[in-house]
Amino acid sequence: MAVCALCAPSAQDILWQDDFCRVVLLNDADYPAYCRVELLAHIKEMTDLPPQDRARTMKVVFAVEAAMREVIQPDKINLASLGNKTPHMHWHILPRFESDRHFPNSHWGEAVRDSGAQPLNTEVRERLQKVVIERVECALKN
Amino acid sequence: MAVCALCAPSAQDILWQDDFCRVVLLNDADYPAYCRVELLAHIKEMTDLPPQDRARTMKVVFAVEAAMREVIQPDKINLASLGNKTPHMHWHILPRFESDRHFPNSHWGEAVRDSGAQPLNTEVRERLQKVVIERVECALKN
């Protein structure tokens, strides 16, 4: 039986984590600020979680969204939990720009232009991490 | 200026609604139980809502997920809020089957087989609506 890629992840750029979930910067070539919120436990669907853990998950997702909006001002945020290939609960938090490779399509859909994306520079990455930490920790207190 | 398609929707198959949002059965040819939760107000991002309205939205989304799992037992649930083309908050709740047109890809991605989907028969549609109503109304009480 194959080991789940999110139960045994390879090296990750983790922006924040606790004993429930982690916020990972994917360092995607087309979408440099693309993050995932990954639960530590191997849970398949949101409704496999008790309601308070669903709420906890979404507080983290929305805190990451808020941090992205503050730091990189995208034109739109895309949120998704699919898991067809890796049925271990994770949320995609993807900042979109009208100039990005697939806009206005889904980034899983047809590309409509070359990507002009550049990796996040160190200063922006550090700022994103700082704001993610602040926003997540504040959200989890409320 | 174009009118927003979700502020002024054409005829919809509404399974449930209140003064905040509605649950719509899309009657999609490939995904017959595909539903959307659409906010009534023209809100662009989840973090444009106050936290209690984010939670209210997600309770409805998860209640629809639970109803789908009860009534049609999909292999996986896909949840997404993109809004690149229609920036009026709506959530896609999409039951996936390993035999469906795009599985394991996103349904926005490449099709990998012909769709064998059939429209929901009346009995299943009525049962789905009944369970959606029960699950949503219960979730909103808690």
Side-chain angles (χ1 to χ4, degrees):
Chain A
M1 185 178 159
V3 173
C4 168
L6 295 185
C7 284
S10 50
Q12 292 186 306
D13 188 356
I14 295 175
L15 299 183
W16 177 89
Q17 81 168 68
D18 66 1
D19 60 359
F20 178 72
C21 69
R22 57 186 174 249
V23 179
V24 179
L25 180 64
L26 300 183
N27 290 303
D28 184 276
D30 292 330
Y31 297 97
Y34 189 171
C35 288
R36 276 201 311 243
V37 171
E38 302 171 355
L39 298 202
L40 303 200
H42 189 79
I43 301 290
K44 183 173 175 181
E45 306 285 10
M46 286 300 288
T47 51
D48 291 332
L49 292 167
Q52 65 271 27
D53 285 344
R54 300 175 202 166
R56 180 174 176 174
T57 304
M58 299 316 297
K59 281 181 179 180
V60 177
V61 169
F62 298 140
V64 173
E65 169 179 314
M68 281 182 184
R69 294 181 74 185
E70 180 175 333
V71 176
I72 63 164
Q73 293 95 37
D75 295 315
K76 189 72 192 69
I77 293 284
N78 289 179
L79 303 175
S81 167
L82 306 187
N84 303 322
K85 295 174 186 171
T86 306
H88 175 134
M89 182 52 59
H90 59 283
W91 280 88
H92 302 264
I93 304 115
L94 178 55
R96 300 296 307 271
F97 290 91
E98 291 178 3
S99 60
D100 73 32
R101 192 169 173 214
H102 302 82
F103 200 93
N105 294 335
S106 155
H107 81 297
W108 288 293
E110 189 182 359
V112 293
R113 63 185 69 80
D114 290 338
S115 175
Q118 298 293 320
L120 291 188
N121 69 43
T122 303
E123 186 184 349
V124 175
R125 189 217 167 278
E126 295 307 306
R127 171 104 178 113
L128 181 63
Q129 180 167 29
K130 177 176 180 289
V131 179
V132 163
I133 292 168
E134 287 168 0
R135 293 283 195 154
V136 170
E137 296 194 345
C138 178
L140 291 176
K141 282 185 191 143
N142 293 298
Chain B
M1 184 177 156
V3 173
C4 168
L6 295 185
C7 284
S10 50
Q12 292 186 308
D13 188 356
I14 294 174
L15 299 183
W16 177 88
Q17 80 167 68
D18 66 0
D19 60 358
F20 178 70
C21 69
R22 58 187 173 248
V23 179
V24 179
L25 179 65
L26 299 183
N27 289 304
D28 183 276
D30 292 329
Y31 297 97
Y34 190 171
C35 288
R36 276 201 311 242
V37 171
E38 303 172 354
L39 298 202
L40 303 200
H42 189 81
I43 300 290
K44 183 172 175 182
E45 305 286 10
M46 286 299 288
T47 51
D48 291 331
L49 292 167
Q52 65 271 27
D53 285 343
R54 299 176 203 166
R56 181 175 177 174
T57 303
M58 299 316 298
K59 282 181 178 179
V60 176
V61 169
F62 298 140
V64 173
E65 169 179 313
M68 281 183 184
R69 294 181 75 185
E70 180 176 334
V71 175
I72 63 163
Q73 294 97 37
D75 295 316
K76 189 72 192 69
I77 293 284
N78 289 179
L79 303 175
S81 167
L82 307 187
N84 304 322
K85 295 174 184 170
T86 306
H88 174 136
M89 182 52 57
H90 59 283
W91 280 88
H92 302 264
I93 303 116
L94 178 55
R96 301 295 308 271
F97 291 91
E98 291 179 3
S99 60
D100 73 33
R101 191 169 173 215
H102 301 82
F103 200 93
N105 294 335
S106 155
H107 81 298
W108 288 293
E110 190 183 359
V112 293
R113 63 186 68 81
D114 290 338
S115 176
Q118 298 293 321
L120 291 187
N121 68 43
T122 304
E123 185 183 349
V124 175
R125 189 218 167 277
E126 296 306 306
R127 170 106 179 110
L128 181 63
Q129 180 167 30
K130 176 175 179 290
V131 179
V132 163
I133 292 169
E134 288 169 359
R135 293 283 194 155
V136 170
E137 295 193 345
C138 177
L140 291 176
K141 282 184 190 141
N142 293 297

